[in-house]
Amino acid sequence: MTVVKVDPTDLANTRFALSPMVELVGALATVAEPGGGPGWLAPWVDRHRPTFAAVAAEEPTLAALLAALRGARWTPDFLLPTPSGMDTTIEAELARVRATELKRVHRDLVLTAHANPHNAGRIDRAQPPAAFTAPGALDRLADALALVWERTLAPEWPLRRALLERDVVQRAGRLATYGWAGALEGLRDGFRWLDTGAIRINDWNSPPYVVAGARLVLVPGGFGRGWIGANPPDGYALVYPARGIAAPPDTPAGDGLDRLVGRARARLLRALAEPASTTQLVGALDMTLGAVGDHLAVLRDAGLVTRARSGRSVLYRHTPLGAALAASGDGPPAPPHTSR
């Protein structure tokens, strides 16, 4: 099995972080799959695949990267610089990608190719894709990634960010209540806290990752994938599938709740499957702050939601009655927790 070894100081300094690059890499890997990933992502893939194809047709490095990711079990580490925190920007992450040594890029791509079961018996020696041996290859790749981001994920980032933040809030609450063993349980398939002072991340037979004072961050991703981004001595990122991405608050459900409390309040009540702040609800539902506040006040007066302060935020959550009403309509399944 593969483990990440941590000492008490490493664990005490472990934080959650958000990463636009994690979303972009998740999108690349999903689009690269012949079937387009799990069924709940099909509408997104169908809508955006032409954009990825058009940019790849113009830029050989992006085409080569998509080919390397097709069916791969290993994600090139240079694509995931360890995010700094909850305010990491795509511009900062792409700048760090551009600054990667080309030798490191070649090594990561070769590892990805060798870890791809579709390449079994077809690779005679370690050679990076030809497109990555040309001058300026990494800058051109970063430009192509920036273009794909702007045309696909950038317009969605406010909503995705709100959903990812909600996942972090839920995980952080579990951490405060149950400790690291409880917080890691269910994070993704294969993750488990070991009494030996290590985090088990999968069942592969590979050398351990030793944090040894580097940064360790937990990063939710919206494409149902999980992997580790290793960038020693800077840090390590454990990417896990975020909850709730596959079931946006506007998913059609039974209309009984809508008739009872009104469509806007029904949307809010369903959106509180996980605790959320007013700002997160505004981003997730595309409603004004005033409308969200007014509807929450009515739901509180009716005994359907309650609120409590968590750090600098005030989080709203269901009461038992509110949870029962919100569950009265059938929604879609949660995204699968896949491992790589």
Side-chain angles (χ1 to χ4, degrees):
M1 64 182 172
T2 305
V3 301
V4 178
K5 292 187 175 182
V6 294
D7 64 26
T9 301
D10 296 328
L11 204 57
N13 291 327
T14 299
R15 296 291 183 268
F16 287 91
L18 297 184
S19 168
M21 199 67 187
V22 162
E23 293 301 281
L24 183 53
V25 172
L28 287 167
T30 301
V31 169
E33 288 188 15
W40 59 271
L41 278 170
W44 193 95
V45 173
D46 291 343
R47 187 165 68 252
H48 293 298
R49 192 190 294 276
T51 298
F52 284 85
V55 178
E58 295 292 328
E59 178 46 57
T61 55
L62 182 62
L65 178 61
L66 286 169
L69 291 173
R70 189 171 299 123
R73 298 179 65 203
W74 185 282
T75 303
D77 288 324
F78 80 91
L79 290 174
L80 182 55
T82 308
S84 57
M86 299 294 289
D87 57 352
T88 309
T89 65
I90 188 66
E91 292 79 13
E93 292 185 304
L94 286 175
R96 293 174 66 185
V97 169
R98 292 179 191 274
T100 308
E101 291 185 3
L102 202 55
K103 180 171 65 175
R104 159 80 183 282
V105 175
H106 290 173
R107 184 202 69 188
D108 285 356
L109 291 171
V110 167
L111 285 172
T112 300
H114 276 283
N116 190 334
H118 296 291
N119 288 328
R122 298 197 294 112
I123 295 179
D124 296 324
R125 55 197 181 118
Q127 291 290 342
F132 282 89
T133 62
L138 200 51
D139 280 331
R140 293 201 310 275
L141 175 65
D143 289 342
L145 292 175
L147 185 59
V148 168
W149 169 266
E150 288 300 325
R151 292 182 179 179
T152 61
L153 286 165
E156 305 172 3
W157 181 238
L159 171 58
R160 285 183 171 273
R161 181 186 177 90
L163 294 172
L164 295 172
E165 285 179 338
R166 290 183 64 186
D167 182 272
V168 169
V169 169
Q170 190 271 338
R171 301 290 182 185
R174 188 172 181 86
L175 171 62
T177 304
Y178 301 107
W180 279 111
L184 291 173
E185 183 181 356
L187 202 63
R188 71 168 245 227
D189 290 345
F191 267 29
R192 185 160 59 89
W193 174 254
L194 304 177
D195 292 337
T196 55
I199 302 169
R200 177 188 185 273
I201 59 174
N202 58 45
D203 58 1
W204 301 358
N205 185 19
S206 58
Y209 297 94
V210 182
V211 175
R215 284 186 299 138
L216 178 62
V217 294
L218 304 177
V219 187
F223 283 85
R225 296 175 177 271
W227 70 89
I228 180 170
N231 289 280
D234 179 41
Y236 298 84
L238 298 183
V239 179
Y240 65 90
R243 300 173 59 182
I245 299 293
D250 274 339
T251 300
D255 63 356
L257 181 60
D258 296 53
R259 295 199 305 270
L260 179 65
V261 300
R263 183 171 183 270
R265 290 168 191 162
R267 291 176 66 207
L268 269 171
L269 201 58
R270 294 189 185 103
L272 287 172
E274 300 291 347
S277 68
T278 53
T279 302
Q280 292 164 352
L281 291 168
V282 166
L285 298 173
D286 194 25
M287 297 170 65
T288 66
L289 183 62
V292 168
D294 289 345
H295 290 313
L296 285 173
V298 173
L299 293 173
R300 283 184 64 216
D301 289 344
L304 302 182
V305 302
T306 185
R307 67 181 182 180
R309 180 165 293 278
S310 176
R312 292 181 294 177
S313 299
V314 174
L315 300 182
Y316 288 81
R317 66 189 73 227
H318 290 151
T319 63
L321 176 59
L325 285 174
S328 61
D330 293 330
H337 281 206
T338 56
S339 300
R340 61 172 287 280

